[in-house]
Amino acid sequence: MAVHRQRVENGGLILFVVAFTLALGFVVSSFAGALLWAALAALLFQPLFQRLLARWPERRNTAAAVTMLIITFAVVIPAMIVASLVVEQAASVYNQMRSGQINFASYFQQMHDALPQRLQRLLDSAGFDSFERAQASISEAIGSSASMLARQAFSIGANAAAFLLAFGVGLYVTFFLLRDGGRIGPAIVRALPLEPAVAERFAEKFVAVVRATIKGSGVVALVQGALGAITFWIVGLPAALLWGLLMAIAALLPAVGPAIIWGPVAVYLLATGAIWQAVVVVLSGVLVIGLADNILRPILVGRDTGIPDWLVLVTTLGGIDLVGLSGIVVGPLAGALFITGWQVLTEQRGAAAPAPE
């Protein structure tokens, strides 16, 4: 009877914990993105906080506040400046497309006419002899985008207020996660309903993937995007910062990379007679942008995360589609924990299997 009662009480406790955990998640769901990035920032800048804490052992609040100042001036303010410039350039490109100053049909025809005759005939036979259908689709997309912007014009203030609120919550939570992260992290690991060794393994994989994604992939992508923007500015392409941002996003995806942006640009420049500009883009793409990944990633990422490139690609794209920008981290993290979980299960089943006679 006592054993039965103990089981019922344990089951009730588990149901209680699960129910209120789900309730808490539902309550803070509107700030899920802000809380996620707060946790990631605290994890990424924890070594900096520890260094400052070593100087001021009895002043945790001061060390956390100084760390927050460094994050603000080194990351937040530059990101906001770049974002405002990108939005300005994107709006300029959009207006030029609507006014006809940017004509994709003309660009396509120039590239088509510059190709060898045999390749032209091959494209013509495949139905790519004109850009009319694509141009109609682009015009329709522009019109629908304009209608959407008009419909949402009244909610811009509310959206801005919601963003500022989430941003403030993220900074506030980051401060406390920095200050108390050394106690919160181990407490969470101890509370997991797993064997201590297994829980530690999952925690190590979590930290490794987060740091590899942000310090490695994120920083390398930003560097490659910046190099691409500088290259496009040198050759005189409009909206260089916007294309550099697209290159940074493409650099996050394995098997895609920034070449998907600078490659077509180089082809267009070559086809339109801008020879030296095309040569500069190709040389920069191969020798500068391409090598940045090989040089910086081993420096920034200390150990392999053990995730295949194809899984990183699929989980990143799926994560972005599911949760937006946060999917850059959430997707690969889900893939890494999936692999780790099956590895642990396989090892435990192998250890529990009877030895052959």
Side-chain angles (χ1 to χ4, degrees):
M1 182 64 67
V3 175
H4 177 71
R5 180 179 179 181
Q6 183 68 30
R7 289 179 178 178
V8 171
E9 291 177 350
N10 290 339
L13 176 61
I14 293 175
L15 289 177
F16 180 87
V17 171
V18 170
F20 281 91
T21 300
L22 294 176
L24 177 62
F26 180 77
V27 169
V28 302
S29 59
S30 58
F31 298 103
L35 295 176
L36 172 64
W37 285 102
L40 297 180
L43 179 63
L44 188 63
F45 288 94
Q46 188 65 215
L48 175 61
F49 169 75
Q50 294 297 333
R51 290 184 180 181
L52 295 175
L53 187 62
R55 294 187 176 184
W56 307 308
E58 304 298 328
R59 303 172 65 182
R60 299 183 67 88
N61 288 333
T62 302
V66 173
T67 306
M68 290 299 301
L69 286 176
I70 295 175
I71 293 174
T72 300
F73 285 99
V75 178
V76 175
I77 293 179
M80 295 179 66
I81 294 174
V82 172
S84 64
L85 294 176
V86 169
V87 169
E88 181 180 352
Q89 291 192 358
S92 176
V93 171
Y94 174 78
N95 293 329
Q96 290 177 4
M97 289 172 59
R98 293 197 63 186
S99 63
Q101 297 180 18
I102 295 180
N103 191 333
F104 287 101
S106 175
Y107 298 156
F108 179 85
Q109 195 62 42
Q110 288 177 349
M111 295 178 63
H112 177 272
D113 295 341
L115 295 173
Q117 291 295 328
R118 181 176 299 179
L119 188 55
Q120 287 186 29
R121 289 193 297 268
L122 180 62
L123 291 176
D124 294 345
S125 62
F128 292 99
D129 55 333
S130 68
F131 200 68
E132 294 176 356
R133 293 183 180 179
Q135 187 180 23
S137 300
I138 292 173
S139 299
E140 182 180 355
I142 292 174
S144 62
S145 299
S147 301
M148 181 186 65
L149 290 174
R151 290 194 302 269
Q152 295 183 353
F154 293 103
S155 63
I156 292 178
N159 292 337
F163 170 78
L164 290 177
L165 178 60
F167 184 76
V169 169
L171 288 180
Y172 184 75
V173 173
T174 301
F175 172 83
F176 288 100
L177 291 180
L178 279 170
R179 191 191 67 178
D180 304 325
R183 295 189 293 265
I184 295 176
I188 293 176
V189 173
R190 289 193 303 269
L192 291 176
L194 300 170
E195 296 180 6
V198 175
E200 288 289 344
R201 187 168 174 180
F202 275 106
E204 291 176 1
K205 178 60 68 174
F206 178 88
V207 173
V209 172
V210 168
R211 288 180 174 171
T213 303
I214 299 179
K215 287 181 60 178
S217 301
V219 173
V220 170
L222 290 176
V223 171
Q224 290 181 311
L227 293 173
I230 294 172
T231 301
F232 292 159
W233 175 75
I234 291 175
V235 301
L237 287 177
L241 192 60
L242 175 61
W243 299 117
L245 177 63
L246 295 177
M247 186 179 296
I249 295 174
L252 292 170
L253 306 176
V256 177
I260 198 174
I261 303 296
W262 64 258
V265 171
V267 172
Y268 166 74
L269 293 173
L270 187 63
T272 54
I275 305 299
W276 74 266
Q277 292 92 334
V279 172
V280 169
V281 170
V282 172
L283 291 178
S284 176
V286 175
L287 300 179
V288 180
I289 300 173
L291 291 179
D293 181 81
N294 298 328
I295 295 175
L296 293 178
R297 193 177 298 274
I299 298 175
L300 296 173
V301 184
R303 49 183 170 177
D304 186 16
T305 60
I307 313 176
D309 286 343
W310 66 268
L311 185 59
V312 174
L313 174 62
V314 173
T315 54
T316 301
L317 292 175
I320 293 174
D321 181 65
L322 184 64
V323 295
L325 182 63
S326 301
I328 295 174
V329 179
V330 173
L333 182 60
L337 295 180
F338 169 83
I339 292 176
T340 303
W342 278 99
Q343 287 176 345
V344 171
L345 182 61
T346 303
E347 293 170 2
Q348 290 185 347
R349 292 186 64 182
E357 296 181 1

